[in-house]
Amino acid sequence: MKKKLLSILILFAVSLTAIAQQKSSLRVLAVHKIQSDGGWDYLSIDQQHNNLFIAHGNQVNILNKNNGDSVGVIYNTPGVHGITIANPFGKGYTTNGKAGTCTIFDLNNFKVLGQVKVGQNPDATFFDDYSKKVIVFNGKSNDASIIDPQMDKVIATIALGGKPEAGVSDGKGKVYVNIEDTGEIVCFDITSYKVLSRYKLKGGEEPSGLAIDRLTSRLFTVCANKLMFILDAKTGKQIASLPIGDNCDGVVFDPATKLAYSANGAGSITVVKEISANKFVVQETVSTAVGARTIAIDLTNHHLFLPTANFEKSTDASQRPHRIAGSFKILEVGK
C-alpha cells in the first residue's frame, strides 16, 4: 500500500513538473504601430465590436483587434488612464486623470456623448456586469466613484483608505481592488457601497494589476517586488506566491485555459497555470519588449495585447530610458 501511494505521489510530482515546463508556443504575432506620441497606461477590448481601445497621451486610439487597422480616435482625454466598455448601454468611458472626469462615448461611432465628474486622478476602471455600474478608482482622492450608465451620474463614492489600482468583480455583488500604498486588497459590496474586508498582502509590495477566476474564487495580484500572489477571494487567505518579471503593472486571467498572464515591463510575460484551486505553477516566460507592462486579453482567440514603444539606450542605470518619438506600438501575442 505504501509503495502504491509513493508511486502515485511520484507520478503527480512528475505531472506538475511537466506542466510547469510545458511550452505553449506563445510569441509576438504582430506589431501594430500607432502614429501618435505620449505615454500610455491601460487598454481594453470591446469583444462585441472587435475593437481595442488604448489610453495614449491625451487621447484614446482605437484599433480593430482582428487586423490592427486604426478605426478611430477619441480626443481631449487629458491624462487618460483607462477605458471601460459598457456594452449593455452601448457606451464607453475613459478616465481622464488630469481633469478628474470620465469622457462618455458611443461604442458604435466613437462620438463623444458627454463628461461626468468623478474623484481626483481617476485611474483604473471597469464595468461590473452584476450591478450594471461603471466603477472608477481615483488615485489621489483614495476612493471609488460609482457611475450609473442610465443617468451618467455618480450615485455613490466609496472611501478606500489608500491609493487604488486595478479592480475586479466576482459577478455576485462583491468588488475587489488593489490598494497600492497600503499593500492590501479591499473588498466592498456594490449594492450597499460598504467596505466588507481588507486583505493584507504578506510579503507583497505595491500591488497594481488584479485578475479573478470567478469559478474558483481566486484573486491574482501582481506586486512591485516581482511576485504574484493568489488569494481566496472569500477569505483573503494567501494560497500561493510565485515569481514574475520586473516592473509589472497588469495581469489577466483566461477562464478557458486556466492561465494567468502578468505583463512585466522589463520585457516579458509570466504565464501561471491554475492546476486546481489550491495549486499554481509558473508554466513559462514569454519574451515581449521593454515597457510592455499593461495587458488585455481577447477571450475569443486568447491573444494578448500589450502597449509599448522603443527606447534610447541609456548608460545611467538610475535614469529611465527616453522614449523614442513616434515609436508607439501594440504587441499582439498568441500561438
Side-chain angles (χ1 to χ4, degrees):
M1 182 67 181
K2 289 183 178 179
K3 289 183 178 180
K4 185 176 180 181
L5 179 60
L6 180 61
S7 298
I8 292 173
L9 291 174
I10 291 172
L11 285 173
F12 182 66
V14 170
S15 298
L16 293 184
T17 302
I19 290 172
Q21 295 177 344
Q22 179 185 354
K23 295 298 180 182
S24 67
S25 302
L26 284 175
R27 57 189 175 86
V28 176
L29 299 175
V31 177
H32 307 298
K33 295 183 178 180
I34 296 177
Q35 298 302 316
S36 61
D37 212 3
W40 61 89
D41 203 350
Y42 295 109
L43 67 171
S44 299
I45 292 178
D46 178 358
Q47 298 279 176
Q48 184 173 315
H49 297 90
N50 295 318
N51 289 323
L52 178 67
F53 295 81
I54 307 107
H56 188 214
N58 294 316
Q59 65 188 45
V60 173
N61 290 85
I62 309 162
L63 304 181
N64 181 301
K65 72 176 180 63
N66 295 331
N67 56 29
D69 288 350
S70 176
V71 295
V73 180
I74 301 171
Y75 296 102
N76 193 28
T77 58
V80 61
H81 286 287
I83 308 99
T84 286
I85 309 300
N87 266 313
F89 300 90
K91 293 185 285 191
Y93 299 76
T94 73
T95 55
N96 310 323
K98 293 180 180 179
T101 63
C102 289
T103 296
I104 310 159
F105 64 91
D106 190 298
L107 288 175
N108 292 296
N109 56 24
F110 317 127
K111 180 181 178 181
V112 172
L113 303 175
Q115 306 276 334
V116 57
K117 188 70 176 176
V118 287
Q120 298 175 41
N121 188 30
D123 193 348
T125 178
F126 75 95
F127 176 72
D128 176 33
D129 54 337
Y130 174 83
S131 65
K132 302 297 188 293
K133 301 294 187 294
V134 172
I135 301 173
V136 176
F137 298 108
N138 305 301
K140 285 188 177 178
S141 50
N142 295 343
D143 52 24
S145 299
I146 312 301
I147 299 174
D148 185 339
Q150 289 185 321
M151 303 181 292
D152 284 328
K153 292 182 178 179
V154 174
I155 58 172
T157 301
I158 305 170
L160 297 172
K163 182 179 183 297
E165 282 286 331
V168 294
S169 165
D170 69 352
K172 300 175 182 178
K174 292 181 179 179
V175 172
Y176 302 85
V177 56
N178 279 331
I179 307 298
E180 183 181 42
D181 53 353
T182 62
E184 60 186 345
I185 296 175
V186 165
C187 171
F188 63 83
D189 187 289
I190 192 57
T191 303
S192 67
Y193 309 126
K194 293 182 178 180
V195 171
L196 302 176
S197 52
R198 312 182 78 92
Y199 301 153
K200 189 69 178 178
L201 293 172
K202 300 174 183 177
E205 299 174 6
E206 299 179 13
S208 52
L210 186 65
I212 188 170
D213 180 353
R214 289 181 171 182
L215 186 63
T216 59
S217 296
R218 293 297 180 258
L219 295 168
F220 301 81
T221 182
V222 289
C223 296
N225 56 330
K226 298 188 288 186
L227 288 172
M228 176 190 291
F229 289 87
I230 297 97
L231 288 78
D232 185 329
K234 296 178 180 178
T235 66
K237 179 183 177 182
Q238 292 184 191
I239 305 298
S241 64
L242 297 169
I244 58 175
D246 198 10
N247 192 25
C248 178
D249 198 24
V251 60
V252 291
F253 180 77
D254 189 333
T257 62
K258 292 291 184 178
L259 294 173
Y261 303 90
S262 75
N264 312 315
S268 68
I269 295 172
T270 304
V271 184
V272 171
K273 176 69 175 181
E274 180 180 335
I275 298 169
S276 70
N278 295 308
K279 186 65 181 181
F280 303 83
V281 295
V282 174
Q283 179 166 291
E284 67 169 321
T285 300
V286 181
S287 295
T288 53
V290 172
R293 58 183 175 77
T294 55
I295 188 169
I297 185 168
D298 183 345
L299 295 177
T300 302
N301 59 15
H302 312 287
H303 287 188
L304 305 166
F305 295 87
L306 304 92
T308 190
N310 297 333
F311 297 88
E312 296 177 356
K313 292 183 179 180
S314 175
T315 56
D316 188 346
S318 65
Q319 292 185 351
R320 296 179 65 179
H322 293 288
R323 183 177 65 249
I324 298 174
S327 66
F328 186 58
K329 57 191 174 182
I330 306 297
L331 308 180
E332 183 174 354
V333 176
K335 291 185 179 181

